[in-house]
Amino acid sequence: MLTDTTGSHGVKLIDERHDIPEVPLQVISDTEQRIDLCLDSAGLSILTHDESFWNSLTYLKTKGVRTRFITEIFESNIYFCTVMMKHGEVFHNDSLKGTYIISDGIKYLCYLLDDNGKGQIITQLFYSKSKSFVQAQQYLFDNLCNKAIPAREKIREIRKGIKGEFITNIHDPTEIQRIAADLLTSASYEILLLFSTINSFYRAEYSGLLN
């Protein structure tokens, strides 16, 4: 069981086999106002296969606790994500790493996983009540939420085969010219061009891009 003996810095590493499944349940059941969960693909797998873990989360809704999930949504896990949406706010992020829980902005619990050749297994839990540390993790989670895509929107994109909005930097001049030519030829009624310098305009004209 989880106690307040978290060391002088408010940090505890949990590796007892009987405590690893119990500690997350205690953190969840002790939550009073809000709980945030970051679940990468391994974390989502834990949630889908641990019935006690899932049931403890769904019970929070009856207590009026606000629940937020950030995870990676794929075609293969759409069904479970729609189930999650019934019990909290769900967001999609393409580049998640790690699985952790923040409870009421004062407790942080992170899963330390290892690959045993057959899949990811939980080897340890990192638990902290250090105010400054938990506040920093809460700030990072909130930023992830602000930049993430709502699950409903991501699921719609997947089902309709729509590629989500993105921004990328291209440095290869040949690739830049090819993409620009493709955009120009695909335009149907209007083209707006912005050149950073007069020389870039002359280069485009010389290459035949403006013909």
mmCIF file of all heavy atoms in Angstrom, residues 10-58:
data_model
loop_
_atom_site.group_PDB
_atom_site.id
_atom_site.type_symbol
_atom_site.label_atom_id
_atom_site.label_comp_id
_atom_site.label_asym_id
_atom_site.label_seq_id
_atom_site.Cartn_x
_atom_site.Cartn_y
_atom_site.Cartn_z
ATOM 1 N N GLY A 10 10.133 14.002 -1.240
ATOM 2 C CA GLY A 10 8.771 13.702 -1.674
ATOM 3 C C GLY A 10 8.715 12.749 -2.851
ATOM 4 O O GLY A 10 7.800 12.804 -3.662
ATOM 5 N N VAL A 11 9.687 11.843 -2.945
ATOM 6 C CA VAL A 11 9.790 10.926 -4.081
ATOM 7 C C VAL A 11 9.938 9.495 -3.563
ATOM 8 O O VAL A 11 10.633 9.251 -2.574
ATOM 9 C CB VAL A 11 10.994 11.280 -4.977
ATOM 10 C CG1 VAL A 11 11.207 10.217 -6.045
ATOM 11 C CG2 VAL A 11 10.795 12.636 -5.622
ATOM 12 N N LYS A 12 9.292 8.558 -4.242
ATOM 13 C CA LYS A 12 9.393 7.156 -3.852
ATOM 14 C C LYS A 12 9.411 6.279 -5.098
ATOM 15 O O LYS A 12 8.642 6.499 -6.034
ATOM 16 C CB LYS A 12 8.222 6.759 -2.956
ATOM 17 C CG LYS A 12 8.298 5.328 -2.420
ATOM 18 C CD LYS A 12 7.146 5.046 -1.472
ATOM 19 C CE LYS A 12 7.266 3.651 -0.863
ATOM 20 N NZ LYS A 12 6.140 3.362 0.068
ATOM 21 N N LEU A 13 10.289 5.291 -5.116
ATOM 22 C CA LEU A 13 10.360 4.310 -6.192
ATOM 23 C C LEU A 13 9.741 3.019 -5.681
ATOM 24 O O LEU A 13 10.200 2.465 -4.681
ATOM 25 C CB LEU A 13 11.810 4.089 -6.621
ATOM 26 C CG LEU A 13 12.039 3.549 -8.029
ATOM 27 C CD1 LEU A 13 11.447 4.480 -9.084
ATOM 28 C CD2 LEU A 13 13.529 3.344 -8.277
ATOM 29 N N ILE A 14 8.709 2.561 -6.348
ATOM 30 C CA ILE A 14 7.951 1.392 -5.896
ATOM 31 C C ILE A 14 8.262 0.215 -6.808
ATOM 32 O O ILE A 14 8.029 0.281 -8.023
ATOM 33 C CB ILE A 14 6.439 1.689 -5.906
ATOM 34 C CG1 ILE A 14 6.145 2.882 -4.987
ATOM 35 C CG2 ILE A 14 5.631 0.470 -5.506
ATOM 36 C CD1 ILE A 14 4.810 3.527 -5.233
ATOM 37 N N ASP A 15 8.796 -0.869 -6.227
ATOM 38 C CA ASP A 15 9.124 -2.032 -7.036
ATOM 39 C C ASP A 15 8.638 -3.352 -6.435
ATOM 40 O O ASP A 15 8.897 -4.419 -6.980
ATOM 41 C CB ASP A 15 10.633 -2.117 -7.287
ATOM 42 C CG ASP A 15 11.444 -2.050 -6.004
ATOM 43 O OD1 ASP A 15 10.854 -2.213 -4.921
ATOM 44 O OD2 ASP A 15 12.665 -1.829 -6.101
ATOM 45 N N GLU A 16 7.917 -3.265 -5.323
ATOM 46 C CA GLU A 16 7.346 -4.478 -4.743
ATOM 47 C C GLU A 16 6.214 -4.986 -5.632
ATOM 48 O O GLU A 16 5.321 -4.224 -6.005
ATOM 49 C CB GLU A 16 6.813 -4.198 -3.339
ATOM 50 C CG GLU A 16 7.881 -3.822 -2.333
ATOM 51 C CD GLU A 16 8.799 -4.991 -2.025
ATOM 52 O OE1 GLU A 16 8.368 -6.154 -2.206
ATOM 53 O OE2 GLU A 16 9.952 -4.740 -1.613
ATOM 54 N N ARG A 17 6.256 -6.256 -5.988
ATOM 55 C CA ARG A 17 5.305 -6.806 -6.953
ATOM 56 C C ARG A 17 3.852 -6.643 -6.509
ATOM 57 O O ARG A 17 2.969 -6.380 -7.324
ATOM 58 C CB ARG A 17 5.609 -8.290 -7.198
ATOM 59 C CG ARG A 17 6.925 -8.524 -7.941
ATOM 60 C CD ARG A 17 7.136 -9.991 -8.234
ATOM 61 N NE ARG A 17 6.076 -10.529 -9.080
ATOM 62 C CZ ARG A 17 5.990 -11.804 -9.435
ATOM 63 N NH1 ARG A 17 6.897 -12.668 -8.992
ATOM 64 N NH2 ARG A 17 5.018 -12.222 -10.197
ATOM 65 N N HIS A 18 3.596 -6.794 -5.218
ATOM 66 C CA HIS A 18 2.220 -6.702 -4.742
ATOM 67 C C HIS A 18 1.741 -5.245 -4.655
ATOM 68 O O HIS A 18 0.539 -4.987 -4.615
ATOM 69 C CB HIS A 18 2.066 -7.386 -3.380
ATOM 70 C CG HIS A 18 2.865 -6.753 -2.295
ATOM 71 N ND1 HIS A 18 4.196 -7.048 -2.094
ATOM 72 C CD2 HIS A 18 2.550 -5.825 -1.349
ATOM 73 C CE1 HIS A 18 4.656 -6.368 -1.062
ATOM 74 N NE2 HIS A 18 3.682 -5.600 -0.598
ATOM 75 N N ASP A 19 2.690 -4.286 -4.633
ATOM 76 C CA ASP A 19 2.310 -2.875 -4.551
ATOM 77 C C ASP A 19 2.048 -2.255 -5.927
ATOM 78 O O ASP A 19 1.242 -1.324 -6.044
ATOM 79 C CB ASP A 19 3.409 -2.066 -3.860
ATOM 80 C CG ASP A 19 3.418 -2.272 -2.353
ATOM 81 O OD1 ASP A 19 2.368 -2.701 -1.825
ATOM 82 O OD2 ASP A 19 4.457 -2.008 -1.728
ATOM 83 N N ILE A 20 2.721 -2.775 -6.948
ATOM 84 C CA ILE A 20 2.626 -2.162 -8.281
ATOM 85 C C ILE A 20 1.186 -2.098 -8.796
ATOM 86 O O ILE A 20 0.759 -1.056 -9.300
ATOM 87 C CB ILE A 20 3.559 -2.888 -9.279
ATOM 88 C CG1 ILE A 20 5.021 -2.518 -8.965
ATOM 89 C CG2 ILE A 20 3.211 -2.526 -10.718
ATOM 90 C CD1 ILE A 20 6.045 -3.204 -9.843
ATOM 91 N N PRO A 21 0.380 -3.141 -8.689
ATOM 92 C CA PRO A 21 -1.013 -3.017 -9.156
ATOM 93 C C PRO A 21 -1.917 -2.244 -8.197
ATOM 94 O O PRO A 21 -2.956 -1.716 -8.605
ATOM 95 C CB PRO A 21 -1.475 -4.468 -9.300
ATOM 96 C CG PRO A 21 -0.625 -5.228 -8.338
ATOM 97 C CD PRO A 21 0.694 -4.538 -8.309
ATOM 98 N N GLU A 22 -1.525 -2.169 -6.914
ATOM 99 C CA GLU A 22 -2.389 -1.552 -5.915
ATOM 100 C C GLU A 22 -2.226 -0.034 -5.827
ATOM 101 O O GLU A 22 -3.192 0.688 -5.586
ATOM 102 C CB GLU A 22 -2.113 -2.171 -4.533
ATOM 103 C CG GLU A 22 -2.481 -3.634 -4.418
ATOM 104 C CD GLU A 22 -3.971 -3.877 -4.617
ATOM 105 O OE1 GLU A 22 -4.765 -3.002 -4.226
ATOM 106 O OE2 GLU A 22 -4.325 -4.930 -5.174
ATOM 107 N N VAL A 23 -1.004 0.444 -6.013
ATOM 108 C CA VAL A 23 -0.732 1.867 -5.841
ATOM 109 C C VAL A 23 -1.537 2.736 -6.806
ATOM 110 O O VAL A 23 -2.140 3.731 -6.391
ATOM 111 C CB VAL A 23 0.781 2.151 -5.963
ATOM 112 C CG1 VAL A 23 1.043 3.652 -6.066
ATOM 113 C CG2 VAL A 23 1.519 1.583 -4.751
ATOM 114 N N PRO A 24 -1.593 2.424 -8.113
ATOM 115 C CA PRO A 24 -2.413 3.253 -9.011
ATOM 116 C C PRO A 24 -3.878 3.304 -8.588
ATOM 117 O O PRO A 24 -4.513 4.364 -8.682
ATOM 118 C CB PRO A 24 -2.252 2.563 -10.372
ATOM 119 C CG PRO A 24 -0.957 1.833 -10.280
ATOM 120 C CD PRO A 24 -0.868 1.378 -8.866
ATOM 121 N N LEU A 25 -4.402 2.186 -8.105
ATOM 122 C CA LEU A 25 -5.800 2.158 -7.660
ATOM 123 C C LEU A 25 -6.013 3.089 -6.477
ATOM 124 O O LEU A 25 -7.046 3.768 -6.389
ATOM 125 C CB LEU A 25 -6.203 0.725 -7.279
ATOM 126 C CG LEU A 25 -6.096 -0.336 -8.376
ATOM 127 C CD1 LEU A 25 -6.587 -1.686 -7.850
ATOM 128 C CD2 LEU A 25 -6.872 0.069 -9.608
ATOM 129 N N GLN A 26 -5.031 3.138 -5.561
ATOM 130 C CA GLN A 26 -5.157 4.014 -4.404
ATOM 131 C C GLN A 26 -5.075 5.477 -4.811
ATOM 132 O O GLN A 26 -5.846 6.314 -4.318
ATOM 133 C CB GLN A 26 -4.073 3.696 -3.380
ATOM 134 C CG GLN A 26 -4.223 4.497 -2.095
ATOM 135 C CD GLN A 26 -3.214 4.098 -1.036
ATOM 136 O OE1 GLN A 26 -2.617 3.011 -1.110
ATOM 137 N NE2 GLN A 26 -3.014 4.962 -0.054
ATOM 138 N N VAL A 27 -4.148 5.803 -5.722
ATOM 139 C CA VAL A 27 -4.020 7.182 -6.196
ATOM 140 C C VAL A 27 -5.317 7.628 -6.861
ATOM 141 O O VAL A 27 -5.811 8.742 -6.632
ATOM 142 C CB VAL A 27 -2.835 7.308 -7.182
ATOM 143 C CG1 VAL A 27 -2.847 8.674 -7.865
ATOM 144 C CG2 VAL A 27 -1.515 7.094 -6.455
ATOM 145 N N ILE A 28 -5.887 6.749 -7.664
ATOM 146 C CA ILE A 28 -7.136 7.087 -8.368
ATOM 147 C C ILE A 28 -8.284 7.254 -7.380
ATOM 148 O O ILE A 28 -9.053 8.220 -7.451
ATOM 149 C CB ILE A 28 -7.470 6.003 -9.412
ATOM 150 C CG1 ILE A 28 -6.423 6.008 -10.530
ATOM 151 C CG2 ILE A 28 -8.864 6.222 -9.989
ATOM 152 C CD1 ILE A 28 -6.513 4.819 -11.464
ATOM 153 N N SER A 29 -8.420 6.315 -6.438
ATOM 154 C CA SER A 29 -9.548 6.379 -5.493
ATOM 155 C C SER A 29 -9.454 7.576 -4.559
ATOM 156 O O SER A 29 -10.483 8.079 -4.083
ATOM 157 C CB SER A 29 -9.613 5.087 -4.676
ATOM 158 O OG SER A 29 -8.466 4.954 -3.843
ATOM 159 N N ASP A 30 -8.232 8.070 -4.313
ATOM 160 C CA ASP A 30 -8.047 9.228 -3.434
ATOM 161 C C ASP A 30 -8.291 10.556 -4.152
ATOM 162 O O ASP A 30 -8.344 11.610 -3.511
ATOM 163 C CB ASP A 30 -6.622 9.244 -2.861
ATOM 164 C CG ASP A 30 -6.404 8.136 -1.832
ATOM 165 O OD1 ASP A 30 -7.397 7.580 -1.349
ATOM 166 O OD2 ASP A 30 -5.222 7.833 -1.535
ATOM 167 N N THR A 31 -8.451 10.507 -5.470
ATOM 168 C CA THR A 31 -8.649 11.736 -6.244
ATOM 169 C C THR A 31 -9.992 12.368 -5.905
ATOM 170 O O THR A 31 -11.016 11.684 -5.845
ATOM 171 C CB THR A 31 -8.582 11.433 -7.758
ATOM 172 O OG1 THR A 31 -7.329 10.831 -8.060
ATOM 173 C CG2 THR A 31 -8.739 12.714 -8.568
ATOM 174 N N GLU A 32 -9.988 13.680 -5.703
ATOM 175 C CA GLU A 32 -11.207 14.376 -5.297
ATOM 176 C C GLU A 32 -11.761 15.325 -6.357
ATOM 177 O O GLU A 32 -12.978 15.520 -6.440
ATOM 178 C CB GLU A 32 -10.939 15.168 -4.012
ATOM 179 C CG GLU A 32 -10.565 14.285 -2.825
ATOM 180 C CD GLU A 32 -10.295 15.102 -1.572
ATOM 181 O OE1 GLU A 32 -10.249 16.351 -1.690
ATOM 182 O OE2 GLU A 32 -10.122 14.506 -0.491
ATOM 183 N N GLN A 33 -10.892 15.945 -7.159
ATOM 184 C CA GLN A 33 -11.375 16.968 -8.096
ATOM 185 C C GLN A 33 -11.042 16.672 -9.556
ATOM 186 O O GLN A 33 -11.913 16.767 -10.412
ATOM 187 C CB GLN A 33 -10.801 18.333 -7.712
ATOM 188 C CG GLN A 33 -11.267 18.827 -6.349
ATOM 189 C CD GLN A 33 -10.692 20.186 -6.017
ATOM 190 O OE1 GLN A 33 -9.672 20.616 -6.575
ATOM 191 N NE2 GLN A 33 -11.338 20.890 -5.098
ATOM 192 N N ARG A 34 -9.788 16.336 -9.833
ATOM 193 C CA ARG A 34 -9.420 16.090 -11.234
ATOM 194 C C ARG A 34 -8.283 15.084 -11.311
ATOM 195 O O ARG A 34 -7.477 14.969 -10.383
ATOM 196 C CB ARG A 34 -9.006 17.386 -11.931
ATOM 197 C CG ARG A 34 -7.664 17.956 -11.486
ATOM 198 C CD ARG A 34 -7.325 19.229 -12.247
ATOM 199 N NE ARG A 34 -5.947 19.660 -12.027
ATOM 200 C CZ ARG A 34 -5.540 20.405 -11.028
ATOM 201 N NH1 ARG A 34 -6.409 20.810 -10.116
ATOM 202 N NH2 ARG A 34 -4.269 20.748 -10.921
ATOM 203 N N ILE A 35 -8.243 14.373 -12.430
ATOM 204 C CA ILE A 35 -7.156 13.431 -12.671
ATOM 205 C C ILE A 35 -6.785 13.493 -14.143
ATOM 206 O O ILE A 35 -7.656 13.584 -15.021
ATOM 207 C CB ILE A 35 -7.552 11.994 -12.260
ATOM 208 C CG1 ILE A 35 -6.326 11.078 -12.283
ATOM 209 C CG2 ILE A 35 -8.666 11.436 -13.135
ATOM 210 C CD1 ILE A 35 -6.542 9.744 -11.589
ATOM 211 N N ASP A 36 -5.502 13.512 -14.422
ATOM 212 C CA ASP A 36 -4.990 13.590 -15.787
ATOM 213 C C ASP A 36 -4.130 12.364 -16.058
ATOM 214 O O ASP A 36 -3.290 11.987 -15.239
ATOM 215 C CB ASP A 36 -4.148 14.856 -15.980
ATOM 216 C CG ASP A 36 -4.963 16.127 -15.797
ATOM 217 O OD1 ASP A 36 -6.132 16.143 -16.242
ATOM 218 O OD2 ASP A 36 -4.448 17.093 -15.210
ATOM 219 N N LEU A 37 -4.341 11.746 -17.225
ATOM 220 C CA LEU A 37 -3.592 10.550 -17.585
ATOM 221 C C LEU A 37 -2.963 10.717 -18.962
ATOM 222 O O LEU A 37 -3.650 11.046 -19.928
ATOM 223 C CB LEU A 37 -4.490 9.310 -17.603
ATOM 224 C CG LEU A 37 -5.161 8.917 -16.277
ATOM 225 C CD1 LEU A 37 -6.573 9.489 -16.217
ATOM 226 C CD2 LEU A 37 -5.204 7.410 -16.122
ATOM 227 N N CYS A 38 -1.661 10.510 -19.028
ATOM 228 C CA CYS A 38 -0.940 10.473 -20.295
ATOM 229 C C CYS A 38 -0.631 9.012 -20.582
ATOM 230 O O CYS A 38 0.043 8.342 -19.793
ATOM 231 C CB CYS A 38 0.350 11.293 -20.202
ATOM 232 S SG CYS A 38 1.352 11.252 -21.709
ATOM 233 N N LEU A 39 -1.140 8.509 -21.702
ATOM 234 C CA LEU A 39 -1.031 7.086 -22.007
ATOM 235 C C LEU A 39 -0.463 6.897 -23.405
ATOM 236 O O LEU A 39 -1.156 7.135 -24.402
ATOM 237 C CB LEU A 39 -2.406 6.415 -21.934
ATOM 238 C CG LEU A 39 -3.195 6.575 -20.623
ATOM 239 C CD1 LEU A 39 -4.651 6.182 -20.827
ATOM 240 C CD2 LEU A 39 -2.565 5.750 -19.515
ATOM 241 N N ASP A 40 0.806 6.486 -23.501
ATOM 242 C CA ASP A 40 1.320 6.128 -24.815
ATOM 243 C C ASP A 40 0.746 4.756 -25.179
ATOM 244 O O ASP A 40 -0.140 4.232 -24.484
ATOM 245 C CB ASP A 40 2.855 6.162 -24.847
ATOM 246 C CG ASP A 40 3.502 5.190 -23.879
ATOM 247 O OD1 ASP A 40 2.789 4.331 -23.315
ATOM 248 O OD2 ASP A 40 4.718 5.281 -23.665
ATOM 249 N N SER A 41 1.210 4.153 -26.259
ATOM 250 C CA SER A 41 0.612 2.896 -26.711
ATOM 251 C C SER A 41 0.710 1.800 -25.650
ATOM 252 O O SER A 41 -0.230 1.020 -25.466
ATOM 253 C CB SER A 41 1.275 2.441 -28.010
ATOM 254 O OG SER A 41 2.681 2.314 -27.849
ATOM 255 N N ALA A 42 1.841 1.766 -24.922
ATOM 256 C CA ALA A 42 1.995 0.771 -23.863
ATOM 257 C C ALA A 42 1.041 1.058 -22.709
ATOM 258 O O ALA A 42 0.441 0.148 -22.134
ATOM 259 C CB ALA A 42 3.440 0.757 -23.365
ATOM 260 N N GLY A 43 0.895 2.335 -22.358
ATOM 261 C CA GLY A 43 -0.012 2.709 -21.280
ATOM 262 C C GLY A 43 -1.464 2.415 -21.602
ATOM 263 O O GLY A 43 -2.227 1.966 -20.741
ATOM 264 N N LEU A 44 -1.850 2.647 -22.851
ATOM 265 C CA LEU A 44 -3.225 2.357 -23.255
ATOM 266 C C LEU A 44 -3.483 0.858 -23.202
ATOM 267 O O LEU A 44 -4.583 0.416 -22.837
ATOM 268 C CB LEU A 44 -3.484 2.900 -24.659
ATOM 269 C CG LEU A 44 -4.946 2.900 -25.116
ATOM 270 C CD1 LEU A 44 -5.796 3.772 -24.196
ATOM 271 C CD2 LEU A 44 -5.054 3.380 -26.552
ATOM 272 N N SER A 45 -2.467 0.076 -23.531
ATOM 273 C CA SER A 45 -2.598 -1.378 -23.455
ATOM 274 C C SER A 45 -2.811 -1.823 -22.008
ATOM 275 O O SER A 45 -3.621 -2.716 -21.734
ATOM 276 C CB SER A 45 -1.341 -2.041 -24.030
ATOM 277 O OG SER A 45 -1.420 -3.445 -23.917
ATOM 278 N N ILE A 46 -2.104 -1.181 -21.078
ATOM 279 C CA ILE A 46 -2.291 -1.491 -19.658
ATOM 280 C C ILE A 46 -3.727 -1.197 -19.239
ATOM 281 O O ILE A 46 -4.378 -2.000 -18.569
ATOM 282 C CB ILE A 46 -1.313 -0.677 -18.789
ATOM 283 C CG1 ILE A 46 0.129 -1.127 -19.044
ATOM 284 C CG2 ILE A 46 -1.656 -0.816 -17.307
ATOM 285 C CD1 ILE A 46 1.177 -0.223 -18.411
ATOM 286 N N LEU A 47 -4.228 -0.051 -19.672
ATOM 287 C CA LEU A 47 -5.585 0.355 -19.299
ATOM 288 C C LEU A 47 -6.631 -0.604 -19.858
ATOM 289 O O LEU A 47 -7.602 -0.943 -19.174
ATOM 290 C CB LEU A 47 -5.845 1.778 -19.800
ATOM 291 C CG LEU A 47 -7.199 2.398 -19.441
ATOM 292 C CD1 LEU A 47 -7.385 2.457 -17.931
ATOM 293 C CD2 LEU A 47 -7.315 3.795 -20.042
ATOM 294 N N THR A 48 -6.436 -1.051 -21.081
ATOM 295 C CA THR A 48 -7.434 -1.924 -21.710
ATOM 296 C C THR A 48 -7.426 -3.339 -21.129
ATOM 297 O O THR A 48 -8.443 -4.038 -21.199
ATOM 298 C CB THR A 48 -7.209 -2.009 -23.225
ATOM 299 O OG1 THR A 48 -5.866 -2.473 -23.485
ATOM 300 C CG2 THR A 48 -7.408 -0.666 -23.888
ATOM 301 N N HIS A 49 -6.293 -3.754 -20.554
ATOM 302 C CA HIS A 49 -6.187 -5.121 -20.049
ATOM 303 C C HIS A 49 -6.329 -5.225 -18.529
ATOM 304 O O HIS A 49 -6.434 -6.332 -18.005
ATOM 305 C CB HIS A 49 -4.847 -5.738 -20.467
ATOM 306 C CG HIS A 49 -4.749 -6.027 -21.933
ATOM 307 N ND1 HIS A 49 -4.269 -5.117 -22.854
ATOM 308 C CD2 HIS A 49 -5.099 -7.116 -22.649
ATOM 309 C CE1 HIS A 49 -4.303 -5.637 -24.060
ATOM 310 N NE2 HIS A 49 -4.803 -6.844 -23.975
ATOM 311 N N ASP A 50 -6.312 -4.086 -17.831
ATOM 312 C CA ASP A 50 -6.425 -4.111 -16.372
ATOM 313 C C ASP A 50 -7.834 -3.645 -15.988
ATOM 314 O O ASP A 50 -8.117 -2.449 -15.912
ATOM 315 C CB ASP A 50 -5.374 -3.191 -15.750
ATOM 316 C CG ASP A 50 -5.284 -3.343 -14.245
ATOM 317 O OD1 ASP A 50 -6.296 -3.714 -13.613
ATOM 318 O OD2 ASP A 50 -4.205 -3.060 -13.681
ATOM 319 N N GLU A 51 -8.702 -4.601 -15.732
ATOM 320 C CA GLU A 51 -10.106 -4.283 -15.461
ATOM 321 C C GLU A 51 -10.271 -3.450 -14.190
ATOM 322 O O GLU A 51 -11.091 -2.524 -14.142
ATOM 323 C CB GLU A 51 -10.915 -5.579 -15.358
ATOM 324 C CG GLU A 51 -12.415 -5.345 -15.230
ATOM 325 C CD GLU A 51 -13.206 -6.630 -15.235
ATOM 326 O OE1 GLU A 51 -12.586 -7.706 -15.431
ATOM 327 O OE2 GLU A 51 -14.437 -6.578 -15.039
ATOM 328 N N SER A 52 -9.502 -3.768 -13.152
ATOM 329 C CA SER A 52 -9.604 -3.016 -11.898
ATOM 330 C C SER A 52 -9.201 -1.559 -12.098
ATOM 331 O O SER A 52 -9.825 -0.642 -11.554
ATOM 332 C CB SER A 52 -8.727 -3.660 -10.826
ATOM 333 O OG SER A 52 -9.163 -4.960 -10.527
ATOM 334 N N PHE A 53 -8.140 -1.359 -12.868
ATOM 335 C CA PHE A 53 -7.662 -0.015 -13.183
ATOM 336 C C PHE A 53 -8.746 0.779 -13.907
ATOM 337 O O PHE A 53 -9.063 1.915 -13.557
ATOM 338 C CB PHE A 53 -6.395 -0.141 -14.032
ATOM 339 C CG PHE A 53 -5.669 1.156 -14.293
ATOM 340 C CD1 PHE A 53 -5.908 2.293 -13.548
ATOM 341 C CD2 PHE A 53 -4.714 1.228 -15.300
ATOM 342 C CE1 PHE A 53 -5.235 3.483 -13.787
ATOM 343 C CE2 PHE A 53 -4.037 2.405 -15.558
ATOM 344 C CZ PHE A 53 -4.305 3.535 -14.807
ATOM 345 N N TRP A 54 -9.325 0.163 -14.935
ATOM 346 C CA TRP A 54 -10.360 0.830 -15.715
ATOM 347 C C TRP A 54 -11.601 1.115 -14.882
ATOM 348 O O TRP A 54 -12.165 2.213 -14.942
ATOM 349 C CB TRP A 54 -10.712 -0.017 -16.936
ATOM 350 C CG TRP A 54 -11.876 0.486 -17.715
ATOM 351 C CD1 TRP A 54 -13.082 -0.130 -17.904
ATOM 352 C CD2 TRP A 54 -11.978 1.738 -18.412
ATOM 353 N NE1 TRP A 54 -13.912 0.644 -18.662
ATOM 354 C CE2 TRP A 54 -13.268 1.796 -18.994
ATOM 355 C CE3 TRP A 54 -11.101 2.808 -18.589
ATOM 356 C CZ2 TRP A 54 -13.695 2.894 -19.737
ATOM 357 C CZ3 TRP A 54 -11.529 3.905 -19.336
ATOM 358 C CH2 TRP A 54 -12.808 3.934 -19.899
ATOM 359 N N ASN A 55 -12.038 0.152 -14.093
ATOM 360 C CA ASN A 55 -13.237 0.346 -13.274
ATOM 361 C C ASN A 55 -13.049 1.465 -12.252
ATOM 362 O O ASN A 55 -13.980 2.227 -11.970
ATOM 363 C CB ASN A 55 -13.601 -0.951 -12.555
ATOM 364 C CG ASN A 55 -14.155 -1.997 -13.498
ATOM 365 O OD1 ASN A 55 -14.618 -1.670 -14.598
ATOM 366 N ND2 ASN A 55 -14.113 -3.253 -13.103
ATOM 367 N N SER A 56 -11.843 1.574 -11.703
ATOM 368 C CA SER A 56 -11.590 2.639 -10.731
ATOM 369 C C SER A 56 -11.654 4.011 -11.391
ATOM 370 O O SER A 56 -12.098 4.988 -10.772
ATOM 371 C CB SER A 56 -10.218 2.432 -10.065
ATOM 372 O OG SER A 56 -9.165 2.565 -11.005
ATOM 373 N N LEU A 57 -11.249 4.088 -12.654
ATOM 374 C CA LEU A 57 -11.332 5.358 -13.380
ATOM 375 C C LEU A 57 -12.773 5.711 -13.725
ATOM 376 O O LEU A 57 -13.194 6.863 -13.590
ATOM 377 C CB LEU A 57 -10.494 5.286 -14.654
ATOM 378 C CG LEU A 57 -8.981 5.439 -14.496
ATOM 379 C CD1 LEU A 57 -8.277 5.136 -15.808
ATOM 380 C CD2 LEU A 57 -8.626 6.850 -14.032
ATOM 381 N N THR A 58 -13.526 4.738 -14.184
ATOM 382 C CA THR A 58 -14.914 5.027 -14.564
ATOM 383 C C THR A 58 -15.752 5.429 -13.355
ATOM 384 O O THR A 58 -16.702 6.203 -13.495
ATOM 385 C CB THR A 58 -15.557 3.804 -15.252
ATOM 386 O OG1 THR A 58 -15.528 2.682 -14.354
ATOM 387 C CG2 THR A 58 -14.810 3.444 -16.528
#
